[in-house]
């Protein structure tokens, strides 16, 4: 029994060392299977961040090599319901290597309330960039929340040092009262 426990501990330790050795891939790395970790600041709501992981391209066109590729996007939308909140983000990026552009559609999944009424809802973005990469320096966007508040045209700008920006690292524990402060997912 002790030998099995020792083997399990050694195996778990080897896995932890292997996982700890995984390096962050540069945001402009576009090879299949590579993950780009990126943080964007939103000019419409300067205290909000979009911290995302962009994964594995898949072809959208049947041409070989594909002229259009798609990447999946997951992450968090820091500040969507006010300070200290970070609801989940899902989306897709499609790049056209012939036309030389990219499009991104994302939404923050959020429903918050104070037991009597909703105080924060999902935010939707539709963005484009003039280069066919998954993590350009800037996205030009339009957005609205599900209170039907249109936030207009805005820009998501890549933060060059996410570790140096404390908002890129916010993690929400439990539910944060979204009645305090303001965010893009609120009526405001």
């Amino acid at each position: 029994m002790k030998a099995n426990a020792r083997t399990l501990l050694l195996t778990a330790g080897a896995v932890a060392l292997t996982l700890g050795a995984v390096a962050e891939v540069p945001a402009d790395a576009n090879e299949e299977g590579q993950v780009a970790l990126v943080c964007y600041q939103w000019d419409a709501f300067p205290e909000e961040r979009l911290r995302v992981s962009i994964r594995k391209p898949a072809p959208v066109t049947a041409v070989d090599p594909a002229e259009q590729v798609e990447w999946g996007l997951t992450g968090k939308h820091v500040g969507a319901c006010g300070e200290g909140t970070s609801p989940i983000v899902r989306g897709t990026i499609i790049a056209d290597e012939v036309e030389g552009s990219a499009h991104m559609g994302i939404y923050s999944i959020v429903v918050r309330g104070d037991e009597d009424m909703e105080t924060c809802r999902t935010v939707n973005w539709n963005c484009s960039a003039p280069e066919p990469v998954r993590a350009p320096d800037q996205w030009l966007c339009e957005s609205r929340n599900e209170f039907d508040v249109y936030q207009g045209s805005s820009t998501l700008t890549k933060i060059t040092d996410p570790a140096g920006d404390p908002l890129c690292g916010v993690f929400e524990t439990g539910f944060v009262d979204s009645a305090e402060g303001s965010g893009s997912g609120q009526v405001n």
Side-chain angles (χ1 to χ4, degrees):
M1 190 67 145
K2 287 184 179 182
N4 287 341
R6 211 175 281 143
T7 302
L8 181 60
L9 284 173
L10 290 172
T11 303
V15 169
L17 285 173
T18 302
L19 291 175
V22 174
E24 187 169 323
V25 175
D28 58 352
N30 286 317
E31 296 301 316
E32 184 170 343
Q34 289 183 330
V35 176
L37 299 175
V38 188
C39 189
Y40 286 100
Q41 181 176 12
W42 191 10
D43 70 345
F45 292 85
E47 296 302 310
E48 295 186 23
R49 300 293 184 272
L50 186 64
R51 181 64 159 149
V52 294
S53 170
I54 306 168
R55 301 180 177 272
K56 192 177 181 179
V60 176
T61 56
V63 177
D64 189 24
E67 295 173 348
Q68 296 177 356
V69 294
E70 172 270 331
W71 292 279
L73 177 148
T74 57
K76 59 187 178 178
H77 177 179
V78 175
C81 297
E83 184 178 345
T85 63
S86 59
I88 301 300
V89 170
R90 300 277 299 166
T92 303
I93 297 169
I94 297 178
D96 188 317
E97 296 181 345
V98 173
E99 295 294 322
S101 64
H103 298 284
M104 176 173 69
I106 55 177
Y107 58 99
S108 303
I109 305 167
V110 64
V111 176
R112 302 284 172 85
D114 64 3
E115 295 186 26
D116 293 325
M117 63 186 306
E118 291 175 279
T119 58
C120 190
R121 290 185 182 171
T122 296
V123 178
N124 298 281
W125 284 278
N126 181 28
C127 305
S128 62
E131 48 190 321
V133 296
R134 64 180 169 172
D137 291 336
Q138 287 194 326
W139 287 101
L140 305 175
C141 305
E142 292 191 48
S143 60
R144 69 167 181 81
N145 65 28
E146 289 189 356
F147 285 113
D148 209 22
V149 175
Y150 174 66
Q151 291 141 347
S153 297
S154 61
T155 303
L156 291 171
T157 303
K158 187 190 305 182
I159 294 174
T160 56
D161 179 19
D165 185 317
L167 292 177
C168 291
V170 167
F171 184 79
E172 179 179 346
T173 55
F175 282 114
V176 175
D177 182 5
S178 59
E180 297 296 319
S182 66
S184 58
Q186 297 176 304
V187 177
N188 295 339

